[in-house]
Amino acid sequence: MADVTDIVFRDFVLRHSRPDVVYTEFVACKALRSPKIQEPFMRLLGYSERERPIVAQVFGSEPADLFACAQQIRAWGFDGLDINMGCPDRRVEKQGAGASLMRDPQRAQALIQAAKAGLEGLPLTVKTRLGYHTIETASWIGTVLAAQPDVLVIHGRTRQELSEVPAHWDEIARAASMARDAGVLCVGNGDIQSREQGEEYAQRFGVDGIMIGRGVLGNPWVFAARTKRSEPEKLAALAQLITQFSGFWKAAKNAGLLKKHFKVYVDGFPGSTTLRRELMATRNSTEALETLSRYFDRNGWIFPAMVYEQIVLSTGCSRLPDSLTERV
Ligand SMILES: Cc1cc2nc3c(=O)[nH]c(=O)nc-3n(C[C@H](O)[C@H](O)[C@H](O)COP(=O)(O)O)c2cc1C
């Protein structure tokens, strides 16, 4: 998820529960090709060895870009490449990438073929939706499958629906059946909130795997069996996330990005409205941690921040170029 699942967030989640595969944030293929702007984008593709298997997600619209990008991703040691064919963001669509590829099936197929050639056997996954304006499972998913990616990840909504209606799991089941016939693995995505729900849906709708997006927000335990956590456990996790984020990125990333996490961790318990308001008013990570620490004191809980200094130090990031690692 863009602006969420960076190396720090993934490391943080993996300390609480483990999915079988993780995906990076997405990156423009073109940016990876141009030496001038390559470096800032590399921040999006840093990963540590303990995250494996890890798939890099990219978007693009030119087969030549996809080919070059696939070679680069292979050289950087990723375990797979994913092409985004579902993002509804206008800036992505304007480039002929993301969801707009559903309206240009020939190009979509050419991109898959170019990526496969560049990957030289490394797995290719394609993440897409059910259609553009309307559900077009038979034609659109048929188009993707004909180009034979290794994995189809299907978000069960159309581009038009954004995330505003419940995911159509019956259509995901149709896509999964088509994928099975085509010898392609199928991963279902949409509204999964727990491992148990994911396992049940996988069985019920016949998918080979489940992808969880928003379910990990406020719940880094989502990939484990028991996911109900107490208020101090959740707030301690938030303190850990803030500490890891600021310790790793320092000034390289705006701490304002943490505010979306304040909203989801500080919710649904007595006093959460006041604490959330206080956190939203903080100007940096230190103030946020101080606010949490005071709250722990008031409740007689032990604040865990010191413990996490060790965690910050041990966050690995082996695949960023040295020049960049020094800067962040
Ligand atoms: C903040 C945010 C950022 C996202 N960024 C991406 C992205 O970069 N690539 C992508 O394939 N999907 C992205 N998505 C979509 C999710 O991966 C997922 O398909 C969608 O949220 C439905 O699944 P869920 O109900 O498990 O969240 C994003 C979603 C959110 C909420």
Side-chain angles (χ1 to χ4, degrees):
M1 289 184 287
D3 276 340
V4 180
T5 55
D6 64 13
I7 182 173
V8 170
F9 185 81
R10 297 191 308 262
D11 182 89
F12 161 75
V13 171
L14 288 169
R15 288 169 192 276
H16 294 84
S17 66
R18 259 206 104 83
D20 296 301
V21 184
V22 298
Y23 279 60
T24 66
E25 300 175 85
F26 69 0
V27 185
C29 287
K30 264 206 178 354
L32 292 181
R33 286 195 79 181
S34 154
K36 261 198 199 147
I37 49 174
Q38 190 175 10
E39 215 179 80
F41 283 84
M42 276 299 295
R43 285 199 308 182
L44 300 168
L45 291 184
Y47 68 91
S48 66
E49 288 301 313
R50 71 170 82 110
E51 294 184 61
R52 289 191 186 283
I54 180 158
V55 175
Q57 192 187 60
V58 298
F59 63 91
S61 58
E62 294 301 330
D65 290 345
L66 248 302
F67 177 81
C69 175
Q71 297 248 290
Q72 186 74 269
I73 291 300
R74 197 170 179 278
W76 282 333
F78 280 95
D79 299 297
L81 173 73
D82 179 88
I83 310 177
N84 180 300
M85 296 194 182
C87 178
D89 189 309
R90 291 279 179 217
R91 286 162 298 183
V92 172
E93 285 203 290
K94 262 194 191 147
Q95 301 171 42
S100 73
L101 287 163
M102 291 189 269
R103 298 204 282 192
D104 195 349
Q106 278 181 346
R107 183 175 291 272
Q109 288 186 327
L111 294 177
I112 294 172
Q113 268 136 22
K116 280 175 69 167
L119 285 170
E120 297 176 42
L122 207 67
L124 174 70
T125 93
V126 170
K127 179 158 180 280
T128 189
R129 292 176 178 247
L130 294 167
Y132 200 87
H133 293 296
T134 55
I135 291 175
E136 302 157 87
T137 311
S139 57
W140 167 240
I141 300 304
T143 297
V144 173
L145 292 173
Q148 287 279 299
D150 297 285
V151 183
L152 167 74
V153 183
I154 181 88
H155 174 190
R157 296 184 179 90
T158 64
R159 189 273 172 225
Q160 186 99 323
E161 290 171 336
L162 300 173
S163 285
E164 288 164 4
V165 300
H168 306 286
W169 274 89
D170 48 342
E171 286 299 322
I172 294 178
R174 272 184 77 191
S177 157
M178 291 169 67
R180 204 165 30 251
D181 291 345
V184 173
L185 291 172
C186 183
V187 172
N189 168 240
D191 302 336
I192 303 297
Q193 294 296 332
S194 69
R195 184 174 192 103
E196 287 81 358
Q197 186 193 2
E199 285 174 358
E200 191 217 315
Y201 273 45
Q203 281 260 319
R204 179 146 43 118
F205 297 104
V207 289
D208 302 291
I210 294 285
M211 177 180 274
I212 295 182
R214 292 165 301 172
V216 78
L217 300 174
N219 185 7
W221 301 277
V222 71
F223 303 109
R226 184 174 73 94
T227 58
K228 278 256 177 296
R229 301 287 159 162
S230 67
E231 180 193 344
E233 274 179 300
K234 288 185 79 173
L235 293 181
L238 176 61
Q240 177 184 352
L241 177 56
I242 298 169
T243 312
Q244 281 193 245
F245 184 95
S246 57
F248 185 81
W249 292 115
K250 302 197 167 61
K253 267 199 183 185
N254 184 347
L257 286 171
L258 288 167
K259 294 203 168 168
K260 60 169 83 71
H261 299 293
F262 299 165
K263 287 186 194 156
V264 286
Y265 279 87
V266 189
D267 189 30
F269 51 84
S272 58
T273 312
T274 311
L275 177 61
R276 191 168 59 248
R277 196 178 322 115
E278 284 172 15
L279 283 169
M280 295 302 277
T282 58
R283 287 165 301 176
N284 53 47
S285 301
T286 308
E287 285 184 10
L289 286 171
E290 282 166 1
T291 304
L292 277 175
S293 169
R294 279 195 302 274
Y295 188 81
F296 270 68
D297 282 349
R298 282 204 296 276
N299 283 282
W301 303 331
I302 294 167
F303 188 59
M306 296 308 286
V307 176
Y308 296 126
E309 278 177 17
Q310 289 308 315
I311 288 174
V312 172
L313 293 175
S314 68
T315 299
C317 185
S318 56
R319 297 289 160 169
L320 287 178
D322 289 344
S323 57
L324 190 62
T325 317
E326 278 157 27
R327 199 148 8 110
V328 298

mmCIF file of all heavy atoms in Angstrom, residues 44-69:
data_model
loop_
_atom_site.group_PDB
_atom_site.id
_atom_site.type_symbol
_atom_site.label_atom_id
_atom_site.label_comp_id
_atom_site.label_asym_id
_atom_site.label_seq_id
_atom_site.Cartn_x
_atom_site.Cartn_y
_atom_site.Cartn_z
ATOM 1 N N LEU A 44 11.629 3.323 -2.028
ATOM 2 C CA LEU A 44 10.403 2.527 -2.010
ATOM 3 C C LEU A 44 10.700 1.037 -2.163
ATOM 4 O O LEU A 44 9.844 0.211 -1.910
ATOM 5 C CB LEU A 44 9.474 2.977 -3.143
ATOM 6 C CG LEU A 44 9.027 4.440 -3.106
ATOM 7 C CD1 LEU A 44 8.374 4.835 -4.401
ATOM 8 C CD2 LEU A 44 8.078 4.650 -1.944
ATOM 9 N N LEU A 45 11.893 0.724 -2.619
ATOM 10 C CA LEU A 45 12.194 -0.678 -2.899
ATOM 11 C C LEU A 45 13.255 -1.274 -1.974
ATOM 12 O O LEU A 45 13.758 -2.360 -2.222
ATOM 13 C CB LEU A 45 12.640 -0.844 -4.359
ATOM 14 C CG LEU A 45 11.553 -0.622 -5.411
ATOM 15 C CD1 LEU A 45 12.084 -0.908 -6.804
ATOM 16 C CD2 LEU A 45 10.339 -1.504 -5.143
ATOM 17 N N GLY A 46 13.595 -0.571 -0.902
ATOM 18 C CA GLY A 46 14.523 -1.156 0.057
ATOM 19 C C GLY A 46 13.846 -2.318 0.774
ATOM 20 O O GLY A 46 12.651 -2.264 1.050
ATOM 21 N N TYR A 47 14.592 -3.374 1.026
ATOM 22 C CA TYR A 47 14.021 -4.482 1.795
ATOM 23 C C TYR A 47 15.130 -5.175 2.575
ATOM 24 O O TYR A 47 16.308 -4.993 2.296
ATOM 25 C CB TYR A 47 13.309 -5.488 0.868
ATOM 26 C CG TYR A 47 14.221 -6.277 -0.050
ATOM 27 C CD1 TYR A 47 14.736 -7.514 0.357
ATOM 28 C CD2 TYR A 47 14.552 -5.810 -1.310
ATOM 29 C CE1 TYR A 47 15.552 -8.252 -0.494
ATOM 30 C CE2 TYR A 47 15.380 -6.538 -2.151
ATOM 31 C CZ TYR A 47 15.875 -7.764 -1.746
ATOM 32 O OH TYR A 47 16.689 -8.485 -2.570
ATOM 33 N N SER A 48 14.729 -5.965 3.566
ATOM 34 C CA SER A 48 15.730 -6.701 4.329
ATOM 35 C C SER A 48 15.541 -8.191 4.079
ATOM 36 O O SER A 48 14.454 -8.634 3.682
ATOM 37 C CB SER A 48 15.620 -6.376 5.813
ATOM 38 O OG SER A 48 14.401 -6.850 6.319
ATOM 39 N N GLU A 49 16.566 -8.939 4.336
ATOM 40 C CA GLU A 49 16.555 -10.375 4.031
ATOM 41 C C GLU A 49 15.429 -11.107 4.767
ATOM 42 O O GLU A 49 14.874 -12.061 4.261
ATOM 43 C CB GLU A 49 17.908 -11.000 4.393
ATOM 44 C CG GLU A 49 19.022 -10.597 3.439
ATOM 45 C CD GLU A 49 18.722 -11.005 1.994
ATOM 46 O OE1 GLU A 49 18.311 -12.159 1.771
ATOM 47 O OE2 GLU A 49 18.900 -10.157 1.096
ATOM 48 N N ARG A 50 15.110 -10.623 5.985
ATOM 49 C CA ARG A 50 14.100 -11.360 6.753
ATOM 50 C C ARG A 50 12.685 -11.214 6.187
ATOM 51 O O ARG A 50 11.754 -11.847 6.665
ATOM 52 C CB ARG A 50 14.137 -10.975 8.230
ATOM 53 C CG ARG A 50 13.638 -9.605 8.553
ATOM 54 C CD ARG A 50 13.508 -9.465 10.071
ATOM 55 N NE ARG A 50 14.809 -9.154 10.653
ATOM 56 C CZ ARG A 50 15.127 -7.983 11.177
ATOM 57 N NH1 ARG A 50 14.246 -7.026 11.225
ATOM 58 N NH2 ARG A 50 16.318 -7.762 11.674
ATOM 59 N N GLU A 51 12.540 -10.355 5.180
ATOM 60 C CA GLU A 51 11.211 -10.200 4.575
ATOM 61 C C GLU A 51 10.904 -11.249 3.515
ATOM 62 O O GLU A 51 9.782 -11.344 3.050
ATOM 63 C CB GLU A 51 11.101 -8.824 3.922
ATOM 64 C CG GLU A 51 11.146 -7.680 4.894
ATOM 65 C CD GLU A 51 10.929 -6.372 4.168
ATOM 66 O OE1 GLU A 51 9.863 -6.199 3.566
ATOM 67 O OE2 GLU A 51 11.851 -5.532 4.171
ATOM 68 N N ARG A 52 11.911 -12.002 3.108
ATOM 69 C CA ARG A 52 11.668 -12.933 1.999
ATOM 70 C C ARG A 52 10.576 -13.953 2.318
ATOM 71 O O ARG A 52 10.496 -14.375 3.464
ATOM 72 C CB ARG A 52 12.980 -13.690 1.687
ATOM 73 C CG ARG A 52 14.010 -12.815 1.049
ATOM 74 C CD ARG A 52 15.157 -13.650 0.519
ATOM 75 N NE ARG A 52 16.217 -12.800 0.041
ATOM 76 C CZ ARG A 52 16.187 -12.141 -1.139
ATOM 77 N NH1 ARG A 52 15.141 -12.276 -1.929
ATOM 78 N NH2 ARG A 52 17.188 -11.379 -1.501
ATOM 79 N N PRO A 53 9.826 -14.373 1.297
ATOM 80 C CA PRO A 53 9.851 -13.908 -0.085
ATOM 81 C C PRO A 53 9.193 -12.535 -0.238
ATOM 82 O O PRO A 53 8.120 -12.304 0.306
ATOM 83 C CB PRO A 53 9.065 -14.978 -0.841
ATOM 84 C CG PRO A 53 8.207 -15.635 0.172
ATOM 85 C CD PRO A 53 8.886 -15.484 1.506
ATOM 86 N N ILE A 54 9.842 -11.682 -1.012
ATOM 87 C CA ILE A 54 9.328 -10.325 -1.201
ATOM 88 C C ILE A 54 9.183 -10.005 -2.684
ATOM 89 O O ILE A 54 10.083 -10.290 -3.483
ATOM 90 C CB ILE A 54 10.203 -9.275 -0.478
ATOM 91 C CG1 ILE A 54 9.625 -7.875 -0.702
ATOM 92 C CG2 ILE A 54 11.680 -9.344 -0.902
ATOM 93 C CD1 ILE A 54 10.053 -6.861 0.331
ATOM 94 N N VAL A 55 8.031 -9.433 -3.017
ATOM 95 C CA VAL A 55 7.693 -9.095 -4.400
ATOM 96 C C VAL A 55 7.705 -7.575 -4.551
ATOM 97 O O VAL A 55 7.136 -6.870 -3.716
ATOM 98 C CB VAL A 55 6.282 -9.635 -4.757
ATOM 99 C CG1 VAL A 55 5.857 -9.201 -6.148
ATOM 100 C CG2 VAL A 55 6.244 -11.150 -4.624
ATOM 101 N N ALA A 56 8.346 -7.078 -5.603
ATOM 102 C CA ALA A 56 8.348 -5.636 -5.881
ATOM 103 C C ALA A 56 7.168 -5.316 -6.783
ATOM 104 O O ALA A 56 6.969 -5.971 -7.808
ATOM 105 C CB ALA A 56 9.649 -5.241 -6.575
ATOM 106 N N GLN A 57 6.373 -4.312 -6.384
ATOM 107 C CA GLN A 57 5.257 -3.943 -7.257
ATOM 108 C C GLN A 57 5.608 -2.695 -8.065
ATOM 109 O O GLN A 57 6.144 -1.729 -7.517
ATOM 110 C CB GLN A 57 3.980 -3.670 -6.460
ATOM 111 C CG GLN A 57 2.785 -3.575 -7.419
ATOM 112 C CD GLN A 57 1.483 -3.138 -6.764
ATOM 113 O OE1 GLN A 57 1.401 -2.065 -6.197
ATOM 114 N NE2 GLN A 57 0.475 -3.985 -6.867
ATOM 115 N N VAL A 58 5.301 -2.741 -9.351
ATOM 116 C CA VAL A 58 5.587 -1.592 -10.222
ATOM 117 C C VAL A 58 4.355 -1.277 -11.061
ATOM 118 O O VAL A 58 3.433 -2.084 -11.166
ATOM 119 C CB VAL A 58 6.786 -1.891 -11.171
ATOM 120 C CG1 VAL A 58 8.052 -2.155 -10.374
ATOM 121 C CG2 VAL A 58 6.472 -3.030 -12.126
ATOM 122 N N PHE A 59 4.368 -0.068 -11.637
ATOM 123 C CA PHE A 59 3.347 0.238 -12.649
ATOM 124 C C PHE A 59 4.045 0.856 -13.850
ATOM 125 O O PHE A 59 5.107 1.479 -13.716
ATOM 126 C CB PHE A 59 2.253 1.149 -12.100
ATOM 127 C CG PHE A 59 2.717 2.518 -11.662
ATOM 128 C CD1 PHE A 59 2.723 3.595 -12.553
ATOM 129 C CD2 PHE A 59 3.151 2.740 -10.365
ATOM 130 C CE1 PHE A 59 3.132 4.857 -12.147
ATOM 131 C CE2 PHE A 59 3.566 3.996 -9.945
ATOM 132 C CZ PHE A 59 3.565 5.067 -10.843
ATOM 133 N N GLY A 60 3.445 0.645 -15.013
ATOM 134 C CA GLY A 60 4.041 1.188 -16.223
ATOM 135 C C GLY A 60 3.132 0.927 -17.399
ATOM 136 O O GLY A 60 2.106 0.236 -17.272
ATOM 137 N N SER A 61 3.488 1.493 -18.543
ATOM 138 C CA SER A 61 2.639 1.303 -19.719
ATOM 139 C C SER A 61 3.448 0.974 -20.974
ATOM 140 O O SER A 61 2.863 0.719 -22.018
ATOM 141 C CB SER A 61 1.804 2.563 -19.965
ATOM 142 O OG SER A 61 2.660 3.671 -20.146
ATOM 143 N N GLU A 62 4.769 0.988 -20.867
ATOM 144 C CA GLU A 62 5.602 0.684 -22.040
ATOM 145 C C GLU A 62 6.285 -0.662 -21.856
ATOM 146 O O GLU A 62 7.030 -0.850 -20.889
ATOM 147 C CB GLU A 62 6.684 1.770 -22.219
ATOM 148 C CG GLU A 62 6.157 3.137 -22.575
ATOM 149 C CD GLU A 62 5.361 3.126 -23.877
ATOM 150 O OE1 GLU A 62 5.670 2.280 -24.755
ATOM 151 O OE2 GLU A 62 4.422 3.927 -24.000
ATOM 152 N N PRO A 63 6.077 -1.579 -22.795
ATOM 153 C CA PRO A 63 6.728 -2.884 -22.662
ATOM 154 C C PRO A 63 8.248 -2.779 -22.469
ATOM 155 O O PRO A 63 8.817 -3.516 -21.657
ATOM 156 C CB PRO A 63 6.370 -3.586 -23.983
ATOM 157 C CG PRO A 63 5.048 -2.978 -24.360
ATOM 158 C CD PRO A 63 5.109 -1.559 -23.924
ATOM 159 N N ALA A 64 8.879 -1.844 -23.151
ATOM 160 C CA ALA A 64 10.346 -1.730 -23.002
ATOM 161 C C ALA A 64 10.714 -1.345 -21.561
ATOM 162 O O ALA A 64 11.712 -1.833 -21.008
ATOM 163 C CB ALA A 64 10.891 -0.690 -23.978
ATOM 164 N N ASP A 65 9.898 -0.482 -20.940
ATOM 165 C CA ASP A 65 10.141 -0.112 -19.534
ATOM 166 C C ASP A 65 9.980 -1.330 -18.628
ATOM 167 O O ASP A 65 10.747 -1.542 -17.699
ATOM 168 C CB ASP A 65 9.143 0.960 -19.068
ATOM 169 C CG ASP A 65 9.399 2.309 -19.714
ATOM 170 O OD1 ASP A 65 10.494 2.490 -20.277
ATOM 171 O OD2 ASP A 65 8.495 3.170 -19.650
ATOM 172 N N LEU A 66 8.932 -2.097 -18.907
ATOM 173 C CA LEU A 66 8.673 -3.283 -18.084
ATOM 174 C C LEU A 66 9.815 -4.286 -18.198
ATOM 175 O O LEU A 66 10.233 -4.883 -17.205
ATOM 176 C CB LEU A 66 7.349 -3.931 -18.497
ATOM 177 C CG LEU A 66 6.201 -3.862 -17.504
ATOM 178 C CD1 LEU A 66 6.567 -4.500 -16.171
ATOM 179 C CD2 LEU A 66 5.755 -2.443 -17.242
ATOM 180 N N PHE A 67 10.312 -4.452 -19.417
ATOM 181 C CA PHE A 67 11.412 -5.401 -19.621
ATOM 182 C C PHE A 67 12.631 -4.961 -18.808
ATOM 183 O O PHE A 67 13.206 -5.745 -18.037
ATOM 184 C CB PHE A 67 11.775 -5.479 -21.114
ATOM 185 C CG PHE A 67 12.946 -6.382 -21.371
ATOM 186 C CD1 PHE A 67 12.776 -7.763 -21.445
ATOM 187 C CD2 PHE A 67 14.229 -5.862 -21.516
ATOM 188 C CE1 PHE A 67 13.872 -8.609 -21.655
ATOM 189 C CE2 PHE A 67 15.321 -6.691 -21.728
ATOM 190 C CZ PHE A 67 15.143 -8.071 -21.796
ATOM 191 N N ALA A 68 13.002 -3.687 -18.953
ATOM 192 C CA ALA A 68 14.188 -3.180 -18.251
ATOM 193 C C ALA A 68 13.993 -3.251 -16.736
ATOM 194 O O ALA A 68 14.898 -3.624 -15.986
ATOM 195 C CB ALA A 68 14.470 -1.741 -18.681
ATOM 196 N N CYS A 69 12.798 -2.904 -16.310
ATOM 197 C CA CYS A 69 12.479 -2.898 -14.887
ATOM 198 C C CYS A 69 12.557 -4.330 -14.324
ATOM 199 O O CYS A 69 13.084 -4.565 -13.236
ATOM 200 C CB CYS A 69 11.071 -2.317 -14.766
ATOM 201 S SG CYS A 69 10.401 -2.333 -13.184
#
